[in-house]
């Protein structure tokens, strides 16, 4: 039996909303790392995982990343994805060109 296609939405504490989909992948969590590069610079890394444990593994690897890359510090955030079957209004249909601005 084929998996149903759905949309997954993550809402971060700062109000940032990320939608993944349409997808049949079994993702449950979204994670984001904001690396402090020093001098007022930052870099953002993000991804999704199939479990809370898998998502938290990214945080555990950061001590090594700080040492290797010379970061000043970082912030790790993780939220559970919310599943819907209908696309959010701000998502273009697959293969579409998106909304045109005038």
């Amino acid at each position: 039996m084929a998996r149903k296609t759905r949309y997954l939405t993550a809402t971060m504490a700062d109000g940032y909303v990320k939608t993944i989909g349409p997808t049949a992948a079994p993702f449950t969590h979204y994670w984001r790392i904001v690396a402090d590069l020093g001098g007022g610079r930052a870099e953002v890394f993000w991804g999704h995982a199939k479990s809370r444990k898998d998502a938290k593994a990214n945080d555990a690897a950061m001590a090594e990343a700080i040492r290797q890359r010379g970061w000043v510090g970082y912030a790790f955030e993780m939220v559970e994805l919310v599943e819907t079957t209908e696309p959010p209004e701000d998502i273009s249909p697959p293969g579409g060109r998106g909304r045109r601005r005038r």
Side-chain angles (χ1 to χ4, degrees), residues 24-99:
F27 299 126
T28 61
H29 288 78
Y30 174 84
W31 56 267
R32 176 174 71 177
I33 296 166
V34 180
D36 181 355
L37 306 178
R41 296 176 307 137
E43 192 168 350
V44 178
F45 304 90
W46 62 271
H48 25 73
K50 295 179 182 179
S51 71
R52 179 176 175 83
K53 181 181 175 182
D54 288 349
K56 284 192 71 84
N58 292 292
D59 189 25
M62 287 300 100
E64 182 66 17
I66 288 172
R67 187 184 65 73
Q68 286 181 348
R69 295 179 175 92
W71 296 347
V72 174
Y74 75 97
F76 177 81
E77 301 170 273
M78 174 182 55
V79 295
E80 191 169 349
L81 290 163
V82 176
E83 180 180 327
T84 59
T85 55
E86 295 296 321
E89 290 184 18
D90 61 343
I91 295 275
S92 301
R97 302 185 95 182
R99 287 192 219 158

